[in-house]
Each structure stands twice: as structure tokens, then as C-alpha cells.
Amino acid sequence: MKNRHKPKVAFFSFTCCEGCQLQVLSCEDELPDVLSLVDIVNFREAIDEKRDDYDIAFIEGSISRQHEINEIKKIREKAKVVVALGACSATGGLNCLKNRFPMEEVQRVVYGDKAKKYKHLDTIPARPIDAVIPVDYYIHGCPITKSEFLYVLKSLLLGKKPEIPNYPVCVDCKMEGNICVFEKGMTCVGPVTRAGCSAICVTYGCICWGCRGLIDNPNLEAHEETLKRYGLTTEGVLRSFDLYGGWRSR
Amino acid sequence: MEYRFLPKKGIAPFVTGLLKDFKVYGPVEKDGFPMYGEITSPKDIHLSHAPTHLSPKQFLFPPKETILRFKNGAKPALEPVIEAHNQALFGIHSCDIHAIKLLDRVFSYGPRDVNYLKRRDKTVIIGIDCVPDKYCFCKSVNTMTVDSGFDLFLHDVGSGFVVEVGTQTGKNLLYKNAKTKKATMKEIKKIKEIRDKKAEMFVTKLNAEASTLPLIYSGSYNSPVWEKIGKICYGCGSCNNVCPTCYCFDVRDEIKTNLTEGERFRVWDACTLEDFAKVAGGHNFRKTRAERLRHRFNRKFQYLADKFGGLFCVGCGRCIRTCLVNINIAEVTNELIEEANKDRS
């Protein structure tokens, strides 16, 4: 690999908690190898350097303000490959919960009555980045899993298309040997949610909240019926679907 | 056939003895439900007679298994990986023993699957009688009892266990690790009494002889039942993954971050998943959930029966329990039986 041109990689962050970038930084064992394969030219959370010549852009966060639209379009123009990094970027994520309310109200709740006077406090409904620019690949999850980030990066470097699971979390649960959440008297959205997380939440006693978004063809009608059969109201069902799926339900 | 009598308090020392030579897997409790898991002390064993949520196939055909290590670069290298250790599967029910016998045939058919077969060679199986729950229908598919495929089989006759010796290996293990005596005729007769009682306990039943099911399925390709269940199916693969006879897998490569070394591994795959039948170019020859379910059911009752000469549904009922939308393989089969009867009359 030595003589090859090292691809330049940049990380960008929009509306989010920046936890997915932190996951990248916590790949401590692999980072020396990663740095021998790529040049990182823009990564606000890790380095001071900021260059605008990059091949691969990993973009974290959803788009929730007008000026972010302009910024991300510039990134798309420069990058050969754009990868959505994490739930906010890939599906809109938790940020889309705000879309249930009028934007003026959201602004007032967060910044107070005078908020609307200040232009820099503007806000628009939160959206995944592919609602604004074309996206080449997706790394799902809230946060992303380190292994999947590395897998996608390695695939891109090898010129292979990364295969992201298109089966639901139920598969991961069975492979992990978990007792089904529904058997334990709880409910989850695992049967319609994209796997690839090794069902980590269920494995550690929680439920699946759906952070990796829906599989390509989820049977949502069936899942609505199931959730109701297990005691959820229509409102409860909507809440289950909306936690991470707010953008989709609009 | 040799029958020995083992008092109940003899189980703990027997298991302690097994632990010296084997990794032992047996029935444990997880979150209050019966499962198979590793036993590190006799105390771990939870000898309920209820069916476990996942099948013991995981110990012979693990969900994820490395099969090859490779190295690229100037001097490429390949090294096959076969992971197998001495293991004892303890407390296996007759349906699951039937299932393992079917897997043995599948993995020896055509190119021999060395990973499975090596592991199988190093495995001893100790069966135990069970009590059907509301999903079990082994009696309808002739797997309620088993006369081979185990090294030892424990029949709980109340006062203790009558141990049926299946192989010389089993006999050696029993003599080495337990104090037993020859079972009396009365104790042996008790096995049949208990079995007769068990036969009356089934809630789930098929309404036709097991031998007629391949024919019934062969005439059911265009039945409306497939669309009906396809509509409510998630395509989540749970029925496949809990099934003791589903053996499909996918093969993938994983490369290290140095981009030169890596592993090839196989993982469970499931024919009810959307991408199972997706091929190059994005074509999918079983696009709908209805088509995929019809395929799965036919694999159990027709296609593999034609190929291997026995039903591939062992009536364990796990797929019924796991299905969140209540697709019931026994009810569906009964609907097909009814349709076939109507067509005939």
C-alpha cells in the first residue's frame, strides 16, 4: 500500500451530540493502521488542521438550520464519496422529534420569547442529510458501532461495496441467544429495525428503540397490530415508531 | 439395549464427572425461560422438561464461525480453520435428537462439511424425556420418541432415572461417572406408561399422517394460504433461526485494518429474509414474504423430504412460539390438509 495515493478523509458534524465522531476516536487499537492508510484532513473533534481537499467525507448530524443546507452542499461538491455517519445523519434521528411541533414554538421553548428576533437562532424541521444531498453510503446507529465504521472504511479503501444488513434486529437477537423482549412482557421495534448492532440493547436487558432505522421493506402494519396486541395504544405505537423515525413519519 | 437405574442424586456427580472431559452444554434458565447454555457446575442445570427457546443446533453449527484465515500481499497464504472441542450436550429432547440426525445427513451429503462433522465427532449427546407445551407437536411428525442418535437417554420415572444406553461411548461415560444398577422390569415398563401419558397431552396436532404431508404440500403451491400469512409476516427470520433443522448459511470475509490479513466466516442465513434470494444485479427470485414462507414450509415438508427421505419439521414448536404475528406451522399445515381433502371429495 505504501506507494499508493493515500485517500484524504474528512469528518464533518451538523446537528447532533458528536458521539459518533467520538466512537471513531475510540477505535484506539485500529487508529494507527487507519492513519497509515488515509490522510485525515478535517476532523474538528480531533485535529486543528482544516483542509478542503478531501476524497471521502463522513458526515455526522442532521440538517436543522438553513445555513447547514448551504454548508453541506459545498461538502458534497468537493467530496468524491459521502458517507452518512450515525442515526442523525442517516435517518434524521432523535432530532426529528422536534418536527412534531411548530418551529416558532421549538425556538421559544429552547431560547425564550426573544428568540425570533435573532436571525442566528433560526430553525427548520430536522432532516437526514440525504434529504438535502445525495449520499453514497450509510453507517447507522445511535451511536455507530466502531466495527461497522471500520468495515465501511476498509470496504471503500478496497473498492468494495459495503454490505449493510437489510434484516431486522430479531436476527441479531437470535444469534446472541436472547430471550425475546415480547416474551419478557415488554415491547420493542426490533422486528422492523435494521440489524447490525448485535442487538446490544436487548443483550444487556433493554429493548430495541430502533436507532438504526427501518429495514428496506418493513411490515409496519403487522408491527402496529403486534404492538397493540401487546397492550400499546395507537399513541403508544406512534411514539415507538417516532423516537428515531420522526422524519419518515412526516 | 441396556437400561441402568440412576438415582436422582446421582445426576450431580455424573455431570461433575463429565466436566472433567467435556465442555458441557445443557438446560439453564435465562431471564426465567428455558434455554441451552454452558454448564460449569451441576448447579447450573435447570432440569425443567419444557422446550427451550433456541435449539441445540448452535453447539454443532454456531451462529458465526471462522472457516478460513488468509493473508494477501507478496506471499499470500491460506489456512483452513476447524474449531472443535470435546463437548457433551446434556438434556436434549427427542425432537432435537431427530433434528441432529437430519443435520448429520445434510452436512455429510455431497461435499462433506468438515467443520460440522469434526465438531459432531467430538460431541456426545445425552437425551432426556420432556413434557410437551402448547406448541409442541412432535407426536404428529413421529419424533416423540427416539431410538438412536444419542449416547445416553434419561427417562425420569419418578424414583430416579432409567438410563437408556445408546452407544459404547455412552456406556463408558455412565460407568465411569455414576453409580448405577441394572434397571428392573418394573422401572423399564414405567417408561412406556409415562410415554403413553405424554401422547395424550398434545394441544397442537396435525390432522393427517406424517407420511402424506409431502404429497399434500406438493399440491399446495397455489393455495391462498401463502398470501394470507405473507401479509402478516415480518420476514424477520426468527422461525429459521430457532429451527433445529434450518442449516442455511452465508459466507463473508472480514479483513483487518492492515488490509492484508483477514478471516472468512460463515453466519446463519434465513430463507424468510428479504435478501436471501437476492443475486447479482439485484434480482430477487423470491421477492414477496408469501413466496419466502411457502419456500420455507415446503423445505420442511416436501423438498428436503424428497431429497433425504424424512420430514424436516420435527414438531418442536419453536417457530410457533417465536412468531410475533402468530403464524403457526401446524395450523397452516392443517389448512392445507383441509384444502387437499376438499379437492379430493
Side-chain angles (χ1 to χ4, degrees):
Chain A
M1 299 298 291
K2 265 182 196 162
N3 301 327
R4 254 204 227 168
H5 153 74
K6 270 166 94 177
K8 294 187 203 64
V9 173
F11 290 84
F12 297 99
S13 191
F14 289 93
T15 302
C16 63
C17 74
E18 304 201 355
C20 291
Q21 288 196 52
L22 206 57
Q23 285 286 83
V24 173
L25 285 176
S26 67
C27 297
E28 285 152 354
D29 293 341
E30 295 85 3
L31 281 180
D33 272 337
V34 169
L35 291 173
S36 73
L37 298 169
V38 301
D39 277 331
I40 295 181
V41 298
N42 205 323
F43 194 166
R44 188 169 60 95
E45 199 160 275
I47 59 173
D48 291 332
E49 190 184 348
K50 272 186 187 149
R51 276 163 54 190
D52 278 337
D53 54 328
Y54 37 82
D55 303 303
I56 306 172
F58 287 95
I59 304 181
E60 176 200 56
S62 48
I63 300 303
S64 69
R65 305 181 65 193
Q66 189 57 46
H67 85 93
E68 291 181 329
I69 294 182
N70 307 333
E71 259 181 68
I72 200 170
K73 281 183 174 165
K74 279 184 211 155
I75 296 171
R76 178 70 264 193
E77 276 169 27
K78 288 173 190 151
K80 294 192 185 92
V81 176
V82 167
V83 185
L85 189 71
C88 296
S89 171
T91 61
L94 291 177
N95 295 321
C96 293
L97 284 174
K98 86 166 179 185
N99 302 355
R100 293 155 66 111
F101 307 95
M103 289 303 111
E104 298 75 40
E105 195 186 334
V106 172
Q107 218 180 11
R108 188 185 53 75
V109 168
V110 178
Y111 297 109
D113 288 331
K114 290 179 184 165
K116 55 180 180 267
K117 283 192 196 167
Y118 301 101
K119 196 163 186 315
H120 70 279
L121 297 180
D122 79 307
T123 190
I124 56 172
R127 61 205 68 187
I129 65 169
D130 66 3
V132 182
I133 56 162
V135 171
D136 301 296
Y137 302 105
Y138 296 84
I139 303 177
H140 295 278
C142 178
I144 57 158
T145 59
K146 293 189 273 186
S147 56
E148 196 167 49
F149 164 72
L150 291 167
Y151 165 70
V152 170
L153 180 66
K154 286 181 282 188
S155 301
L156 294 178
L157 294 177
L158 290 166
K160 288 170 76 174
K161 180 177 173 248
E163 293 291 336
I164 302 299
N166 177 32
Y167 49 77
V169 174
C170 300
V171 171
D172 280 358
C173 260
K174 299 296 172 290
M175 302 216 350
E176 292 298 316
N178 291 333
I179 296 287
C180 181
V181 159
F182 287 81
E183 290 265 10
K184 295 196 278 187
M186 301 181 281
T187 60
C188 80
V189 291
V192 289
T193 299
R194 189 180 299 279
C197 51
S198 304
I200 185 167
C201 296
V202 181
T203 304
Y204 287 94
C206 195
I207 65 167
C208 172
W209 301 99
C211 76
R212 290 176 59 88
L214 296 175
I215 50 172
D216 289 352
N217 285 304
N219 194 341
L220 290 175
E221 297 77 23
H223 200 49
E224 187 179 337
E225 285 304 309
T226 301
L227 290 175
K228 285 182 178 165
R229 200 152 21 81
Y230 280 82
L232 260 62
T233 58
T234 303
E235 177 64 17
V237 171
L238 284 176
R239 278 172 184 275
S240 302
F241 285 149
D242 270 6
L243 186 60
Y244 279 96
W247 174 253
R248 192 197 60 244
S249 358
R250 270 161 60 87
Chain B
M1 194 67 77
E2 187 177 351
Y3 291 94
R4 306 289 300 176
F5 184 82
L6 176 71
K8 291 223 161 147
K9 63 178 193 304
I11 286 286
F14 175 65
V15 172
T16 307
L18 282 180
L19 282 166
K20 284 182 200 142
D21 301 317
F22 298 94
K23 266 198 171 180
V24 180
Y25 300 99
V28 296
E29 206 177 60
K30 183 169 183 177
D31 301 328
F33 295 93
M35 283 289 253
Y36 285 112
E38 189 172 354
I39 307 285
T40 52
S41 133
K43 280 188 299 217
D44 299 339
I45 292 182
H46 203 84
L47 268 190
S48 79
H49 299 289
T52 55
H53 287 214
L54 290 177
S55 89
K57 80 172 171 191
Q58 56 183 305
F59 305 115
L60 294 163
F61 170 50
K64 183 176 177 182
E65 158 180 35
T66 303
I67 52 177
L68 188 75
R69 287 199 189 91
F70 59 83
K71 206 172 168 178
N72 300 329
K75 282 186 186 166
L78 290 177
E79 179 206 349
V81 181
I82 301 167
E83 288 162 358
H85 50 256
N86 286 339
Q87 59 178 0
L89 307 186
F90 181 88
I92 308 299
H93 298 173
S94 72
C95 58
D96 286 334
I97 295 174
H98 279 278
I100 292 169
K101 285 166 73 174
L102 292 168
L103 291 182
D104 290 348
R105 290 167 72 179
V106 167
F107 285 115
S108 334
Y109 179 86
R112 292 167 60 79
D113 190 297
V114 283
N115 290 63
Y116 174 91
L117 293 171
K118 184 83 185 203
R119 203 173 280 118
R120 183 68 182 87
D121 270 351
K122 289 176 170 277
T123 302
V124 298
I125 293 176
I126 299 159
I128 195 164
D129 270 336
C130 48
V131 178
D133 71 6
K134 61 179 173 179
Y135 308 114
C136 295
F137 59 100
C138 54
K139 190 184 165 215
S140 301
V141 287
N142 301 331
T143 58
M144 193 186 87
T145 59
V146 64
D147 53 14
S148 68
F150 54 84
D151 296 281
L152 295 169
F153 200 101
L154 309 178
H155 302 277
D156 189 342
V157 293
S159 53
F161 293 99
V162 171
V163 185
E164 189 175 342
V165 176
T167 63
Q168 188 61 41
T169 309
K171 185 174 176 170
N172 295 348
L173 281 176
L174 186 68
Y175 278 63
K176 185 179 161 195
N177 297 315
K179 283 194 185 113
T180 59
K181 59 183 176 60
K182 194 169 185 285
T184 62
M185 270 322 281
K186 201 176 154 197
E187 283 157 352
I188 295 171
K189 273 186 185 154
K190 191 90 195 213
I191 299 175
K192 191 178 175 300
E193 273 172 44
I194 291 168
R195 192 172 282 171
D196 290 345
K197 256 188 222 158
K198 178 176 160 183
E200 300 304 312
M201 290 167 77
F202 290 89
V203 180
T204 301
K205 293 172 196 172
L206 299 185
N207 301 331
E209 277 297 313
S211 60
T212 64
L213 295 174
L215 189 62
I216 288 166
Y217 266 82
S218 74
S220 74
Y221 197 80
N222 296 316
S223 163
V225 80
W226 307 120
E227 273 309 317
K228 191 177 82 177
I229 58 175
K231 213 173 163 199
I232 58 170
C233 173
Y234 284 115
C236 72
S238 288
C239 51
N240 294 112
N241 288 331
V242 302
C243 176
T245 69
C246 273
Y247 57 83
C248 287
F249 57 84
D250 193 11
V251 175
R252 295 181 210 158
D253 289 345
E254 204 164 67
I255 198 153
K256 288 187 185 165
T257 332
N258 60 21
L259 299 191
T260 51
E261 292 163 80
E263 288 187 351
R264 173 164 294 179
F265 57 92
R266 68 168 166 199
V267 284
W268 286 356
D269 205 347
C271 62
T272 54
L273 299 177
E274 187 184 9
D275 288 358
F276 183 85
K278 208 182 223 177
V279 292
H283 303 288
N284 192 334
F285 50 89
R286 278 193 293 276
K287 267 197 198 112
T288 67
R289 298 186 194 98
E291 288 169 304
R292 298 198 293 273
L293 277 178
R294 177 174 62 193
H295 179 74
R296 171 174 150 73
F297 281 45
N298 270 292
R299 293 273 292 178
K300 298 297 143 189
F301 291 102
Q302 189 198 169
Y303 305 153
L304 292 175
D306 289 349
K307 187 167 173 178
F308 292 103
L311 294 183
F312 266 62
C313 175
V314 294
C316 71
R318 288 188 180 95
C319 60
I320 310 177
R321 185 194 301 110
T322 201
C323 185
L324 285 172
V325 295
N326 300 330
I327 295 172
N328 182 318
I329 197 166
E331 280 174 15
V332 169
T333 304
N334 284 337
E335 276 186 60
L336 298 178
I337 293 167
E338 202 176 315
E339 282 172 20
N341 287 342
K342 262 189 213 150
D343 286 350
R344 216 172 35 184
S345 58

